[in-house]
Amino acid sequence: MYLYLSNAPRTLYLITDHQDEKQGKPRRALVFRAAEGNSQAVVEFLRAEEVDVVNLVRLSNRIVKGCLGLISVEGEIFLAVVTSATEVGNTRPTASQPESVAKIHEVSFYSLTSSTWDDLSAVNDGLISPEVVDTSFREAQIFEHPCMPLSKIISSGSFYYAYDTPWDLSSRLSVRLARATREPYAARDVGTFDERFVWNEYIVRSLLDFRSQLDGDERVEFDRCQFVILAIQGYVGVATMGLPAPPTNGTPAVATLALISRLGWKRAGTRFNTRGVDDDGNTANFVETETIFSTDQHCVSYVQVRGSVPLFWEQQGLQTFGHRIQITRPHASQPAFERHLLQLMEEYGALHAVNLLGQKENEASLTQAYAHHLQKARLVLGEDLGITHFDFHNQVRVGGHDSVMRELVRIENIKDNIDRFGFTMCDADTDQIVTEQKGTFRTNCLDCLDRTNFVQDILSRTTLDEYLSLVRREWRLSNTLWTHHRELWAENGDSLSRIYAGTGALNTSYTRSGKRTIAGMLSDATKSVSRAYINNFVDKDKQTAIDMFLGNLSNQRQVTIFDPIHDSVRAALEQRVSEYSTTKQCTFLIGTWNVNGRPPSGESLLDWLFPPQSPSEPDMFVLGFQEIVPLTAQQIVQTDPEKRLNWERKLLDTLERRPNKKSSYVLLRSEQLVGTALIVLVKSELTAVIRNVEATTRKTGLRGMSGNKGAVGIRLDYHDTSFCFLTAHLAAGHSNIEERHADYRTIAEHLHFLRGKTIHSHENVVWLGDMNYRVNLDYHTAVSLAENDDFDSLLSHDQLKQAIDARQAFAGYEEGPVLFRPTYRYDYGTNNYDTSEKMRIPAWTDRILYRGNQLDLAVYSRAELMGSDHKPVFGIFRAEVRIVDPVKKAVMSQMLLERVTSTEDGQTLVDKLKETPLSRALGESTLPPPSTDEAAWWEDQAHPLGVVLLSDFPDLVNGSDKLSQQRKTKANPFESDSEDESSALSASPTSSDEELYTHALSLQTPITPTPHNINGLAQQQQQQQGQSQGRRAPPPPPLKKIGAAHDGESKDGSA
């Protein structure tokens, strides 16, 4: 594809060419121009033939590989395009589609608002060498392109993207295979990726949003064109080799070894500018490295991670060869430390840290703090978290680098975990996962570069050797395989080191050759000196460029896209939704219950699930539970799903055994976060019309580290209406109001579903759960008011009502009238409020809140169950769900689109959209609605004296009915094709006696009237006769023109 320019207004065109068409890409154009709004662009996706290329100017002779996104720099909007890239190779040749990778060599930035910088993109015709990237930051230029720092970063040779066919380079193999099994449509979806590793997510987000708004066919063509590139930073290397095969035909087996390192961007930066952890648990220089070995039988993946010591520490001042380390928050690192490790364990399973720091003064302080924090974290996170301290430098000093390889794998914890974690292996033909990696090693040194890379190479080789010992023992002795393995890891170390420290890695000469040489030592010394200079004097500007690229600067504004055509059509479609859709009523029973850690008892749940106020069986049950497990430290670390399964069985058994059963229910989806669970059950016949069901969780306990408090969300589309259900358990404690507010905000802002869907993305949202808001009264007053059903007095002191009124929490949500007693807290098994020493004040802790135009709360009450110290609450909602006719919608969308793109003088866009009738496009009649006894369409101001013009109904005028012409029929059905043909009536087909008899048998049997029916029929006839006396006369025959009367008509046009 090539990039073109036109002026007045200034517009950039990215257009696929004939070479792309030969590769199966459609001929399309992606058009960019600046909008009137600040940091806003207009983007259009057009067919190539709609663009007049003859009048455009090609901005560059370079073939454009794709665009990275849009960024605002110094008040201008720039389009970032990849103008040079080379293919690295196919990382998994046995896959059904190629999983090839390309390395980015050059990126150019073109302004949407100014021509000032157009000619500067051609200054560097050659490729930018990675070795001069950091040096170039020191070279002052008088007229430097405002995006030059960004170009240097992205053109450094450390960015990669999926090449040839779309696939998710940001996710490891096991995740991609599991996703393909669970969601086949998402396997090759450009919009599905691991956000931790896509570096241009900030600048490409607006284009991804634009893509998501395209209709299905357009989105497929957009992806096939590969206009958008999702780039990772790190390293990708591929080596293909021949290995000995069984002596059948003498042909060697072809194997592929790939190494992919994905550098995280959430705490990105240079060596001395970015250290340790942040409050969200993100660490500096965090890298996920995956070794992939593919043959014609299997594909094996082995994943390990590295990252800075997850404490708050830094190195201030001028740094030379002695590293002055300062732990800045020694007593406040534990929450962030545990948050980081918890994120890793949730992502990868069991975790074993390998700490390679030495015993020197500075590194020893970090090692001691690391060990202390991890020991405390194990009390929370459990036995699946471990650590091994291995003084790398001391081992090299004692026995050389060879001893590191020998001694490391002999350590019991390392050896045992290599066996326990295993690797992921899938069948090469079917992609069926045979075995999956159950944990990972987290390796670190001070910079997570040289020592870390050396050890990760050993762990990768050891695990790959274990696989070979199971399938091809002779390959373990292959010099070719291990030579490629060493070379890939050496290149990996150099690449990651250049990104973080500015030079290649140390010790790579040994990694490559297996020997320590004088040349290698001199090379390491030179790199150390270069690092000291670059890190102290150059990295500051480089850090600023990185922050600009990632959108971390405080004065940055993200570029958004204004899509005038589709936005207008979409708005018109939304306004006219009733023309291509219908609605139907459904019923939801929403329930919440804090069960106080108790399992289901013999108590019946019918009063909760089918309360007397329920007029009919609900279409759907949405039931939230809190404290289904005792909130112990062990449960917080490792959720016990068995307790949720017990409640699921109890619910299904209750529904199955209920009296007067009219329909069956099935479990649609359930999800659990420690003690909080959400269970959705629906009528079995509705499963076909409920789609896109997803579940997610968000922790709020211990500032987001622990799941003892938090929320579980399930979203779904019922026909074409979206619903989001959330059960929450907020902070406890009578006076912890602000903590509850904070928990709500954390959930509302940070709970996400797939593809960027949030709570606010849904039309209807229902919160249910133990919100833990209390009543600000003393115990005796609250009990007295509750027992006397003085709800108004109690509610005037309700913390949740006060929070909603002050918009401190749940702003915009509604709650039904609270006409039931407080649900908390009771003596177990009774209806008596708490009589223990604590004498907890009665409160409505269990609540249901909602927002959505389709929701109508019919009943809001509680059930009198005694299986907990809380009473369960329920709400019965009537909801109106919309059923969209996709054919009608597509017709209207296309019709509106054609109408918008047509040009007529003196007509506004709004007028065009309003004047487009769907009925004509669908072939529906434009006749007026039928008349009734109360009203007739011809008796209005538009038809004085009942005069009707045929011109009002063009479909009835002979020769003007386009629909009839399309159907090859005539406006007059009685008109013959020619004068010679017989009458249309006489030419009508006849039916044989047998056909008539068969048709008669299909008619309904007449109802035999009973005396009661006969009397009713007589009364009905009398009523009709009475009505006929006062009925108006039939309408007059229509006229073609006023004053041009036919025979038998008066000149004034009346009959």
Side-chain angles (χ1 to χ4, degrees), residues 10 89 107 245 336 535 583 618 629 710 716 723 756 817 836 876 995 999 1016:
R10 179 178 172 83
V107 174
N535 300 156
T583 60
V629 298
L716 55 88
F723 293 88
S836 67
I876 299 176
E995 289 173 331
H999 175 67

Side-chain angles (χ1 to χ4, degrees), residues 937-949 952-953 1042:
W937 58 265
W938 60 87
E939 291 186 349
D940 56 19
Q941 296 179 356
H943 304 92
L945 302 177
V947 176
V948 183
L949 301 179
D952 291 344
F953 307 103
I1042 296 178

